[in-house]
């Protein structure tokens, strides 16, 4: 890792973790076996080996994850707190979904963590036969801070930061936007 990447990582990693830890739900983009897309969301808990969500098989996105285990995840800044709706802070990942069996030790750990985060409702939901626990293992991702501020991140501990080389360019003169205030109004 270059010295520049190390400085960037040391600056961004705490910011990304604070942002991620402040989110309680994540957006899910799934597809079924015929490629029909579905957008949804789920409350989550982050464990060392991935994001865990508890979803009913009645829900389309749970069935999609069982059919096609590839998913796109997004954690996004709340609209009410965003300085600019066109450039909300967000963290996205391509991920692989895995069903966690009820007799798997990860089931008990993740359910306990979900219950600690969201309360007694998790105990009730986890005792319903149609609710399935999924582990979503992030692979490659992107952290967007705002206009012209997008950074590639790895799925394991968010340690591989690379600032994207291509930025926004103006139509009138081709100049690259370097700050949010450069954006056209």
């Amino acid at each position: 890792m270059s010295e520049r990447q190390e400085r960037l990582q040391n600056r961004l990693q705490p910011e990304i973790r604070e942002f991620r830890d402040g989110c309680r739900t994540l957006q899910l983009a799934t597809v079924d076996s015929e490629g029909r897309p579905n957008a949804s969301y789920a409350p989550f808990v982050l464990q060392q080996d991935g994001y865990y969500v508890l979803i009913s098989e009645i829900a389309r996105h749970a069935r999609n994850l069982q059919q096609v285990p590839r998913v796109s995840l997004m954690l996004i800044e709340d609209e009410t707190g965003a300085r600019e709706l066109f450039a909300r802070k967000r963290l996205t990942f391509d991920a692989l979904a895995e069903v966690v069996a009820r007799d798997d030790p990860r089931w008990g750990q993740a359910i306990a963590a979900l219950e600690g985060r969201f309360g007694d409702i998790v105990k009730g939901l986890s005792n319903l036969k149609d609710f399935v626990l999924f582990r979503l293992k992030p692979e490659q991702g992107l952290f967007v801070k705002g206009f012209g501020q997008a950074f590639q991140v790895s799925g394991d501990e968010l340690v591989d930061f690379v600032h994207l080389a291509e930025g926004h360019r103006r139509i009138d003169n081709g100049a690259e936007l370097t700050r949010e205030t450069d954006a056209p109004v």
Side-chain angles (χ1 to χ4, degrees):
M1 178 181 305
S2 74
E3 185 178 320
R4 182 175 181 268
Q5 281 182 300
E6 191 172 337
R7 280 195 318 270
L8 189 59
Q9 176 180 326
N10 290 338
R11 184 173 52 96
L12 285 177
Q13 193 169 40
E15 183 177 347
I16 290 172
R17 286 184 174 162
E18 180 181 355
F19 172 71
R20 178 198 64 209
D21 294 347
C23 295
R24 295 170 45 90
T25 62
L26 50 78
Q27 314 301 306
L28 300 163
T30 63
V31 295
D32 66 16
S33 60
E34 295 180 22
R36 288 184 296 254
N38 178 248
S40 192
Y41 81 98
F44 76 92
V45 67
L46 180 62
Q47 302 287 75
Q48 277 191 304
D49 62 340
Y51 294 81
Y52 283 81
V53 294
L54 185 65
I55 308 170
S56 169
E57 288 178 307
I58 295 169
R60 184 174 166 194
H61 56 287
R63 294 190 313 271
N64 286 356
L65 289 172
Q66 290 172 323
Q67 294 172 16
V68 181
R70 292 218 135 312
V71 60
S72 180
L73 311 176
M74 180 170 66
L75 292 88
I76 188 163
E77 178 180 30
D78 190 285
E79 289 179 5
T80 58
R83 285 181 28 207
E84 175 55 63
L85 289 179
F86 282 91
R88 287 163 62 192
K89 188 182 293 188
R90 58 200 176 274
L91 178 62
T92 59
F93 282 107
D94 294 335
L96 192 57
E98 170 195 7
V99 173
V100 179
R102 289 177 183 264
D103 61 353
D104 186 314
R106 296 176 300 169
W107 170 277
Q109 295 164 353
I111 294 299
L114 283 162
E115 194 175 326
R117 190 164 196 206
F118 299 106
D120 288 340
I121 189 168
V122 174
K123 185 181 293 185
L125 296 175
S126 66
N127 283 314
L128 298 174
K129 189 174 183 176
D130 58 295
F131 272 80
V132 177
L133 181 67
F134 291 93
R135 176 181 75 121
L136 308 174
K137 182 172 178 23
E139 295 173 338
Q140 63 201 25
L142 191 67
F143 178 59
V144 178
K145 289 179 58 167
F147 286 117
Q149 298 178 74
F151 303 88
Q152 291 177 345
V153 296
S154 69
D156 59 343
E157 294 294 311
L158 308 175
V159 294
D160 186 24
F161 298 104
V162 180
H163 186 268
L164 298 180
E166 286 284 318
H168 299 290
R169 296 197 176 275
R170 295 184 59 89
I171 291 175
D172 56 357
N173 64 10
E176 185 171 346
L177 303 181
T178 57
R179 298 181 319 262
E180 205 171 301
T181 55
D182 291 340
V185 280

Short mmCIF file of all heavy atoms in Angstrom, two decimals, residues 4-59:
data_model
loop_
_atom_site.label_atom_id
_atom_site.label_comp_id
_atom_site.label_asym_id
_atom_site.label_seq_id
_atom_site.Cartn_x
_atom_site.Cartn_y
_atom_site.Cartn_z
N ARG A 4 0.29 7.36 0.23
CA ARG A 4 -0.94 8.13 -0.03
C ARG A 4 -2.18 7.30 0.31
O ARG A 4 -3.11 7.79 0.95
CB ARG A 4 -0.98 8.56 -1.50
CG ARG A 4 -2.18 9.40 -1.85
CD ARG A 4 -2.09 9.89 -3.30
NE ARG A 4 -3.23 10.70 -3.63
CZ ARG A 4 -4.35 10.23 -4.18
NH1 ARG A 4 -4.46 8.95 -4.46
NH2 ARG A 4 -5.35 11.03 -4.46
N GLN A 5 -2.20 6.03 -0.12
CA GLN A 5 -3.34 5.16 0.18
C GLN A 5 -3.47 4.93 1.68
O GLN A 5 -4.57 4.89 2.21
CB GLN A 5 -3.20 3.81 -0.53
CG GLN A 5 -3.59 3.85 -1.98
CD GLN A 5 -3.48 2.48 -2.60
OE1 GLN A 5 -2.40 1.89 -2.61
NE2 GLN A 5 -4.58 1.99 -3.12
N GLU A 6 -2.34 4.80 2.37
CA GLU A 6 -2.38 4.60 3.82
C GLU A 6 -2.97 5.82 4.53
O GLU A 6 -3.79 5.69 5.43
CB GLU A 6 -0.97 4.29 4.34
CG GLU A 6 -0.98 3.82 5.77
CD GLU A 6 0.40 3.34 6.22
OE1 GLU A 6 1.22 2.97 5.36
OE2 GLU A 6 0.62 3.35 7.44
N ARG A 7 -2.58 7.02 4.10
CA ARG A 7 -3.15 8.25 4.68
C ARG A 7 -4.65 8.32 4.42
O ARG A 7 -5.44 8.65 5.30
CB ARG A 7 -2.46 9.49 4.11
CG ARG A 7 -1.12 9.80 4.73
CD ARG A 7 -0.64 11.22 4.40
NE ARG A 7 -0.85 11.64 3.03
CZ ARG A 7 0.02 11.46 2.04
NH1 ARG A 7 1.18 10.86 2.27
NH2 ARG A 7 -0.24 11.88 0.83
N LEU A 8 -5.05 7.99 3.19
CA LEU A 8 -6.45 8.01 2.82
C LEU A 8 -7.24 6.99 3.65
O LEU A 8 -8.32 7.28 4.16
CB LEU A 8 -6.58 7.71 1.33
CG LEU A 8 -7.95 7.89 0.69
CD1 LEU A 8 -8.44 9.32 0.85
CD2 LEU A 8 -7.88 7.52 -0.79
N GLN A 9 -6.68 5.80 3.80
CA GLN A 9 -7.34 4.77 4.60
C GLN A 9 -7.49 5.23 6.04
O GLN A 9 -8.56 5.07 6.64
CB GLN A 9 -6.54 3.48 4.56
CG GLN A 9 -7.13 2.41 5.45
CD GLN A 9 -6.33 1.12 5.40
OE1 GLN A 9 -5.79 0.77 4.37
NE2 GLN A 9 -6.29 0.43 6.51
N ASN A 10 -6.45 5.78 6.62
CA ASN A 10 -6.50 6.23 8.02
C ASN A 10 -7.53 7.33 8.22
O ASN A 10 -8.13 7.45 9.29
CB ASN A 10 -5.13 6.68 8.49
CG ASN A 10 -4.16 5.54 8.64
OD1 ASN A 10 -4.55 4.38 8.78
ND2 ASN A 10 -2.88 5.84 8.55
N ARG A 11 -7.74 8.13 7.19
CA ARG A 11 -8.73 9.21 7.27
C ARG A 11 -10.14 8.70 7.03
O ARG A 11 -11.09 9.07 7.72
CB ARG A 11 -8.38 10.30 6.24
CG ARG A 11 -9.27 11.51 6.30
CD ARG A 11 -8.78 12.62 5.38
NE ARG A 11 -8.56 12.18 4.03
CZ ARG A 11 -9.43 12.31 3.04
NH1 ARG A 11 -10.61 12.87 3.26
NH2 ARG A 11 -9.15 11.91 1.82
N LEU A 12 -10.31 7.80 6.04
CA LEU A 12 -11.64 7.37 5.64
C LEU A 12 -12.21 6.21 6.46
O LEU A 12 -13.42 6.14 6.66
CB LEU A 12 -11.64 6.96 4.17
CG LEU A 12 -11.59 8.10 3.17
CD1 LEU A 12 -11.53 7.55 1.76
CD2 LEU A 12 -12.78 9.01 3.33
N GLN A 13 -11.36 5.30 6.90
CA GLN A 13 -11.87 4.11 7.58
C GLN A 13 -12.74 4.48 8.79
O GLN A 13 -13.85 3.95 8.93
CB GLN A 13 -10.75 3.18 7.97
CG GLN A 13 -11.24 1.81 8.40
CD GLN A 13 -10.12 0.81 8.52
OE1 GLN A 13 -9.04 1.14 9.00
NE2 GLN A 13 -10.37 -0.40 8.08
N PRO A 14 -12.31 5.38 9.67
CA PRO A 14 -13.18 5.74 10.80
C PRO A 14 -14.48 6.41 10.34
O PRO A 14 -15.54 6.18 10.92
CB PRO A 14 -12.34 6.72 11.63
CG PRO A 14 -10.93 6.48 11.20
CD PRO A 14 -10.99 6.00 9.79
N GLU A 15 -14.41 7.20 9.29
CA GLU A 15 -15.61 7.87 8.76
C GLU A 15 -16.60 6.84 8.21
O GLU A 15 -17.80 6.94 8.44
CB GLU A 15 -15.21 8.87 7.69
CG GLU A 15 -16.37 9.66 7.14
CD GLU A 15 -15.94 10.70 6.12
OE1 GLU A 15 -14.73 11.00 6.00
OE2 GLU A 15 -16.84 11.23 5.43
N ILE A 16 -16.08 5.87 7.48
CA ILE A 16 -16.95 4.82 6.92
C ILE A 16 -17.57 4.00 8.04
O ILE A 16 -18.77 3.72 8.02
CB ILE A 16 -16.16 3.92 5.94
CG1 ILE A 16 -15.82 4.72 4.69
CG2 ILE A 16 -16.95 2.67 5.59
CD1 ILE A 16 -14.89 4.01 3.73
N ARG A 17 -16.79 3.63 9.01
CA ARG A 17 -17.32 2.83 10.12
C ARG A 17 -18.38 3.60 10.91
O ARG A 17 -19.41 3.05 11.29
CB ARG A 17 -16.19 2.36 11.03
CG ARG A 17 -15.39 1.26 10.38
CD ARG A 17 -14.33 0.71 11.28
NE ARG A 17 -13.70 -0.43 10.62
CZ ARG A 17 -12.54 -0.92 10.97
NH1 ARG A 17 -11.87 -0.42 12.00
NH2 ARG A 17 -12.03 -1.95 10.32
N GLU A 18 -18.14 4.87 11.15
CA GLU A 18 -19.13 5.69 11.86
C GLU A 18 -20.42 5.79 11.05
O GLU A 18 -21.52 5.66 11.60
CB GLU A 18 -18.57 7.09 12.13
CG GLU A 18 -19.53 8.00 12.85
CD GLU A 18 -18.97 9.40 13.07
OE1 GLU A 18 -17.80 9.66 12.75
OE2 GLU A 18 -19.74 10.25 13.55
N PHE A 19 -20.29 6.00 9.75
CA PHE A 19 -21.46 6.06 8.89
C PHE A 19 -22.22 4.74 8.91
O PHE A 19 -23.42 4.68 9.12
CB PHE A 19 -21.05 6.42 7.46
CG PHE A 19 -22.17 6.33 6.47
CD1 PHE A 19 -23.21 7.25 6.49
CD2 PHE A 19 -22.21 5.31 5.53
CE1 PHE A 19 -24.26 7.16 5.58
CE2 PHE A 19 -23.25 5.21 4.63
CZ PHE A 19 -24.28 6.14 4.66
N ARG A 20 -21.50 3.64 8.70
CA ARG A 20 -22.10 2.31 8.68
C ARG A 20 -22.78 1.99 10.01
O ARG A 20 -23.90 1.50 10.05
CB ARG A 20 -21.02 1.27 8.38
CG ARG A 20 -21.50 -0.17 8.37
CD ARG A 20 -20.38 -1.14 8.50
NE ARG A 20 -19.73 -0.98 9.78
CZ ARG A 20 -18.45 -1.24 10.02
NH1 ARG A 20 -17.67 -1.66 9.07
NH2 ARG A 20 -17.94 -1.07 11.22
N ASP A 21 -22.11 2.28 11.10
CA ASP A 21 -22.66 1.98 12.43
C ASP A 21 -23.88 2.82 12.76
O ASP A 21 -24.69 2.45 13.61
CB ASP A 21 -21.59 2.14 13.50
CG ASP A 21 -20.46 1.11 13.35
OD1 ASP A 21 -20.63 0.13 12.59
OD2 ASP A 21 -19.40 1.31 13.99
N GLY A 22 -24.03 3.96 12.10
CA GLY A 22 -25.19 4.82 12.31
C GLY A 22 -26.42 4.38 11.53
O GLY A 22 -27.51 4.90 11.76
N CYS A 23 -26.25 3.44 10.63
CA CYS A 23 -27.38 2.93 9.84
C CYS A 23 -27.95 1.70 10.53
O CYS A 23 -27.22 0.86 11.04
CB CYS A 23 -26.92 2.56 8.43
SG CYS A 23 -26.37 3.96 7.44
N ARG A 24 -29.27 1.59 10.50
CA ARG A 24 -29.93 0.43 11.12
C ARG A 24 -30.56 -0.50 10.08
O ARG A 24 -30.88 -1.63 10.37
CB ARG A 24 -30.97 0.92 12.11
CG ARG A 24 -30.32 1.65 13.29
CD ARG A 24 -31.29 2.36 14.20
NE ARG A 24 -32.46 1.64 14.59
CZ ARG A 24 -32.56 0.86 15.68
NH1 ARG A 24 -31.52 0.71 16.47
NH2 ARG A 24 -33.70 0.26 15.97
N THR A 25 -30.76 0.02 8.86
CA THR A 25 -31.30 -0.81 7.78
C THR A 25 -30.41 -0.67 6.56
O THR A 25 -29.67 0.31 6.42
CB THR A 25 -32.74 -0.39 7.40
OG1 THR A 25 -32.73 0.95 6.92
CG2 THR A 25 -33.70 -0.52 8.58
N LEU A 26 -30.49 -1.67 5.70
CA LEU A 26 -29.78 -1.58 4.43
C LEU A 26 -30.76 -1.86 3.31
O LEU A 26 -31.76 -2.55 3.49
CB LEU A 26 -28.58 -2.51 4.38
CG LEU A 26 -28.70 -3.98 4.78
CD1 LEU A 26 -29.33 -4.82 3.69
CD2 LEU A 26 -27.32 -4.51 5.09
N GLN A 27 -30.48 -1.27 2.17
CA GLN A 27 -31.29 -1.47 0.97
C GLN A 27 -30.75 -2.71 0.26
O GLN A 27 -29.54 -2.93 0.23
CB GLN A 27 -31.19 -0.28 0.02
CG GLN A 27 -31.33 1.09 0.68
CD GLN A 27 -32.62 1.28 1.41
OE1 GLN A 27 -33.68 1.09 0.84
NE2 GLN A 27 -32.56 1.67 2.67
N LEU A 28 -31.66 -3.50 -0.30
CA LEU A 28 -31.28 -4.72 -1.01
C LEU A 28 -31.79 -4.64 -2.45
O LEU A 28 -32.96 -4.33 -2.66
CB LEU A 28 -31.92 -5.95 -0.35
CG LEU A 28 -31.57 -6.23 1.10
CD1 LEU A 28 -32.58 -7.19 1.70
CD2 LEU A 28 -30.18 -6.81 1.17
N ALA A 29 -30.93 -4.93 -3.39
CA ALA A 29 -31.34 -5.07 -4.79
C ALA A 29 -31.11 -6.53 -5.16
O ALA A 29 -29.98 -7.01 -5.16
CB ALA A 29 -30.54 -4.15 -5.69
N THR A 30 -32.21 -7.24 -5.42
CA THR A 30 -32.15 -8.66 -5.73
C THR A 30 -32.78 -8.92 -7.09
O THR A 30 -33.47 -8.05 -7.63
CB THR A 30 -32.90 -9.49 -4.67
OG1 THR A 30 -34.29 -9.13 -4.68
CG2 THR A 30 -32.32 -9.26 -3.27
N VAL A 31 -32.56 -10.12 -7.62
CA VAL A 31 -33.23 -10.56 -8.84
C VAL A 31 -33.70 -11.99 -8.62
O VAL A 31 -33.11 -12.74 -7.85
CB VAL A 31 -32.35 -10.49 -10.10
CG1 VAL A 31 -31.98 -9.07 -10.44
CG2 VAL A 31 -31.12 -11.36 -9.97
N ASP A 32 -34.78 -12.36 -9.32
CA ASP A 32 -35.23 -13.75 -9.24
C ASP A 32 -34.53 -14.57 -10.32
O ASP A 32 -33.69 -14.04 -11.08
CB ASP A 32 -36.75 -13.85 -9.31
CG ASP A 32 -37.35 -13.42 -10.64
OD1 ASP A 32 -36.62 -13.31 -11.65
OD2 ASP A 32 -38.57 -13.19 -10.68
N SER A 33 -34.87 -15.84 -10.42
CA SER A 33 -34.19 -16.74 -11.37
C SER A 33 -34.42 -16.35 -12.83
O SER A 33 -33.68 -16.78 -13.71
CB SER A 33 -34.63 -18.18 -11.13
OG SER A 33 -36.02 -18.30 -11.30
N GLU A 34 -35.43 -15.51 -13.09
CA GLU A 34 -35.67 -15.05 -14.45
C GLU A 34 -35.14 -13.64 -14.68
O GLU A 34 -35.39 -13.03 -15.72
CB GLU A 34 -37.17 -15.13 -14.75
CG GLU A 34 -37.66 -16.57 -14.74
CD GLU A 34 -39.14 -16.68 -15.04
OE1 GLU A 34 -39.71 -15.75 -15.64
OE2 GLU A 34 -39.72 -17.71 -14.66
N GLY A 35 -34.42 -13.10 -13.71
CA GLY A 35 -33.80 -11.79 -13.85
C GLY A 35 -34.68 -10.61 -13.53
O GLY A 35 -34.29 -9.46 -13.77
N ARG A 36 -35.87 -10.84 -12.98
CA ARG A 36 -36.75 -9.73 -12.61
C ARG A 36 -36.21 -9.08 -11.33
O ARG A 36 -36.05 -9.76 -10.31
CB ARG A 36 -38.17 -10.22 -12.41
CG ARG A 36 -38.88 -10.59 -13.71
CD ARG A 36 -40.33 -10.97 -13.46
NE ARG A 36 -40.39 -12.18 -12.64
CZ ARG A 36 -40.74 -13.38 -13.10
NH1 ARG A 36 -41.06 -13.54 -14.36
NH2 ARG A 36 -40.77 -14.42 -12.29
N PRO A 37 -35.98 -7.77 -11.35
CA PRO A 37 -35.39 -7.09 -10.20
C PRO A 37 -36.40 -6.76 -9.11
O PRO A 37 -37.60 -6.67 -9.37
CB PRO A 37 -34.83 -5.80 -10.82
CG PRO A 37 -35.73 -5.54 -11.98
CD PRO A 37 -36.13 -6.89 -12.51
N ASN A 38 -35.88 -6.58 -7.91
CA ASN A 38 -36.69 -6.17 -6.78
C ASN A 38 -35.82 -5.34 -5.85
O ASN A 38 -34.68 -5.71 -5.56
CB ASN A 38 -37.24 -7.39 -6.03
CG ASN A 38 -38.04 -7.02 -4.80
OD1 ASN A 38 -37.63 -7.27 -3.69
ND2 ASN A 38 -39.19 -6.42 -5.01
N ALA A 39 -36.35 -4.22 -5.40
CA ALA A 39 -35.65 -3.39 -4.42
C ALA A 39 -36.42 -3.48 -3.11
O ALA A 39 -37.64 -3.41 -3.10
CB ALA A 39 -35.59 -1.94 -4.90
N SER A 40 -35.68 -3.62 -2.02
CA SER A 40 -36.31 -3.71 -0.71
C SER A 40 -35.32 -3.24 0.34
O SER A 40 -34.28 -2.66 0.01
CB SER A 40 -36.75 -5.16 -0.44
OG SER A 40 -37.59 -5.19 0.69
N TYR A 41 -35.62 -3.53 1.60
CA TYR A 41 -34.71 -3.17 2.68
C TYR A 41 -34.88 -4.18 3.80
O TYR A 41 -35.84 -4.94 3.84
CB TYR A 41 -34.99 -1.75 3.20
CG TYR A 41 -36.16 -1.72 4.17
CD1 TYR A 41 -35.92 -1.72 5.53
CD2 TYR A 41 -37.47 -1.74 3.71
CE1 TYR A 41 -36.99 -1.73 6.43
CE2 TYR A 41 -38.52 -1.74 4.59
CZ TYR A 41 -38.28 -1.74 5.95
OH TYR A 41 -39.32 -1.77 6.83
N ALA A 42 -33.94 -4.17 4.73
CA ALA A 42 -34.04 -5.02 5.92
C ALA A 42 -33.18 -4.42 7.03
O ALA A 42 -32.10 -3.89 6.78
CB ALA A 42 -33.56 -6.44 5.61
N PRO A 43 -33.66 -4.52 8.28
CA PRO A 43 -32.79 -4.21 9.41
C PRO A 43 -31.63 -5.21 9.42
O PRO A 43 -31.80 -6.36 9.00
CB PRO A 43 -33.70 -4.41 10.62
CG PRO A 43 -35.09 -4.27 10.08
CD PRO A 43 -35.02 -4.84 8.70
N PHE A 44 -30.46 -4.77 9.87
CA PHE A 44 -29.29 -5.64 9.82
C PHE A 44 -28.46 -5.52 11.08
O PHE A 44 -28.59 -4.57 11.85
CB PHE A 44 -28.41 -5.31 8.61
CG PHE A 44 -27.60 -4.04 8.80
CD1 PHE A 44 -26.31 -4.08 9.32
CD2 PHE A 44 -28.13 -2.81 8.47
CE1 PHE A 44 -25.58 -2.92 9.50
CE2 PHE A 44 -27.40 -1.63 8.64
CZ PHE A 44 -26.12 -1.68 9.17
N VAL A 45 -27.61 -6.51 11.25
CA VAL A 45 -26.55 -6.44 12.26
C VAL A 45 -25.27 -6.88 11.55
O VAL A 45 -25.29 -7.77 10.70
CB VAL A 45 -26.86 -7.32 13.50
CG1 VAL A 45 -26.86 -8.80 13.16
CG2 VAL A 45 -25.90 -7.02 14.63
N LEU A 46 -24.18 -6.21 11.86
CA LEU A 46 -22.89 -6.54 11.25
C LEU A 46 -22.10 -7.40 12.23
O LEU A 46 -21.91 -7.02 13.39
CB LEU A 46 -22.11 -5.26 10.93
CG LEU A 46 -20.75 -5.44 10.28
CD1 LEU A 46 -20.86 -6.14 8.93
CD2 LEU A 46 -20.04 -4.11 10.12
N GLN A 47 -21.68 -8.57 11.76
CA GLN A 47 -20.81 -9.46 12.52
C GLN A 47 -19.47 -9.49 11.78
O GLN A 47 -19.33 -8.91 10.71
CB GLN A 47 -21.41 -10.87 12.59
CG GLN A 47 -22.79 -10.93 13.22
CD GLN A 47 -22.76 -10.71 14.72
OE1 GLN A 47 -22.59 -9.60 15.20
NE2 GLN A 47 -22.94 -11.79 15.46
N GLN A 48 -18.49 -10.18 12.34
CA GLN A 48 -17.17 -10.21 11.71
C GLN A 48 -17.19 -10.78 10.30
O GLN A 48 -16.38 -10.39 9.47
CB GLN A 48 -16.19 -11.02 12.56
CG GLN A 48 -15.57 -10.21 13.67
CD GLN A 48 -14.42 -10.97 14.31
OE1 GLN A 48 -14.61 -12.08 14.77
NE2 GLN A 48 -13.27 -10.35 14.32
N ASP A 49 -18.11 -11.70 10.02
CA ASP A 49 -18.11 -12.36 8.72
C ASP A 49 -19.19 -11.85 7.77
O ASP A 49 -19.44 -12.47 6.74
CB ASP A 49 -18.24 -13.88 8.90
CG ASP A 49 -19.53 -14.29 9.57
OD1 ASP A 49 -20.17 -13.45 10.23
OD2 ASP A 49 -19.91 -15.47 9.43
N GLY A 50 -19.83 -10.74 8.08
CA GLY A 50 -20.79 -10.18 7.15
C GLY A 50 -21.98 -9.53 7.82
O GLY A 50 -22.07 -9.45 9.05
N TYR A 51 -22.90 -9.08 6.99
CA TYR A 51 -24.14 -8.47 7.43
C TYR A 51 -25.18 -9.58 7.58
O TYR A 51 -25.26 -10.46 6.71
CB TYR A 51 -24.64 -7.45 6.40
CG TYR A 51 -23.75 -6.25 6.25
CD1 TYR A 51 -22.60 -6.29 5.47
CD2 TYR A 51 -24.06 -5.05 6.89
CE1 TYR A 51 -21.78 -5.18 5.33
CE2 TYR A 51 -23.25 -3.94 6.76
CZ TYR A 51 -22.11 -4.01 5.97
OH TYR A 51 -21.30 -2.91 5.84
N TYR A 52 -25.97 -9.53 8.64
CA TYR A 52 -27.01 -10.54 8.85
C TYR A 52 -28.38 -9.86 8.83
O TYR A 52 -28.56 -8.81 9.46
CB TYR A 52 -26.81 -11.25 10.19
CG TYR A 52 -25.70 -12.28 10.13
CD1 TYR A 52 -24.37 -11.92 10.23
CD2 TYR A 52 -26.00 -13.63 9.95
CE1 TYR A 52 -23.36 -12.85 10.16
CE2 TYR A 52 -24.99 -14.59 9.89
CZ TYR A 52 -23.67 -14.18 9.99
OH TYR A 52 -22.68 -15.13 9.92
N VAL A 53 -29.31 -10.49 8.10
CA VAL A 53 -30.68 -9.99 8.02
C VAL A 53 -31.63 -11.16 8.23
O VAL A 53 -31.34 -12.29 7.81
CB VAL A 53 -30.96 -9.30 6.67
CG1 VAL A 53 -30.14 -8.02 6.52
CG2 VAL A 53 -30.72 -10.22 5.49
N LEU A 54 -32.75 -10.90 8.88
CA LEU A 54 -33.77 -11.89 9.14
C LEU A 54 -35.00 -11.49 8.33
O LEU A 54 -35.58 -10.43 8.57
CB LEU A 54 -34.10 -11.91 10.65
CG LEU A 54 -35.07 -12.97 11.14
CD1 LEU A 54 -34.49 -14.37 10.97
CD2 LEU A 54 -35.41 -12.72 12.61
N ILE A 55 -35.36 -12.34 7.33
CA ILE A 55 -36.40 -11.97 6.39
C ILE A 55 -37.37 -13.14 6.21
O ILE A 55 -36.95 -14.30 6.11
CB ILE A 55 -35.81 -11.62 5.00
CG1 ILE A 55 -34.68 -10.59 5.10
CG2 ILE A 55 -36.88 -11.10 4.06
CD1 ILE A 55 -33.91 -10.39 3.81
N SER A 56 -38.64 -12.83 6.11
CA SER A 56 -39.65 -13.85 5.86
C SER A 56 -39.58 -14.34 4.42
O SER A 56 -39.44 -13.54 3.48
CB SER A 56 -41.06 -13.29 6.12
OG SER A 56 -42.04 -14.18 5.65
N GLU A 57 -39.74 -15.65 4.24
CA GLU A 57 -39.80 -16.22 2.89
C GLU A 57 -41.03 -15.75 2.13
O GLU A 57 -41.11 -15.92 0.91
CB GLU A 57 -39.80 -17.75 2.95
CG GLU A 57 -38.48 -18.33 3.36
CD GLU A 57 -38.53 -19.84 3.46
OE1 GLU A 57 -39.41 -20.36 4.16
OE2 GLU A 57 -37.68 -20.48 2.81
N ILE A 58 -41.98 -15.18 2.82
CA ILE A 58 -43.15 -14.61 2.15
C ILE A 58 -42.74 -13.39 1.32
O ILE A 58 -43.32 -13.11 0.29
CB ILE A 58 -44.23 -14.24 3.20
CG1 ILE A 58 -44.73 -15.52 3.88
CG2 ILE A 58 -45.37 -13.48 2.55
CD1 ILE A 58 -45.60 -15.26 5.10
N ALA A 59 -41.68 -12.71 1.77
CA ALA A 59 -41.19 -11.51 1.08
C ALA A 59 -40.44 -11.90 -0.20
O ALA A 59 -39.64 -12.84 -0.21
CB ALA A 59 -40.28 -10.71 1.99
#
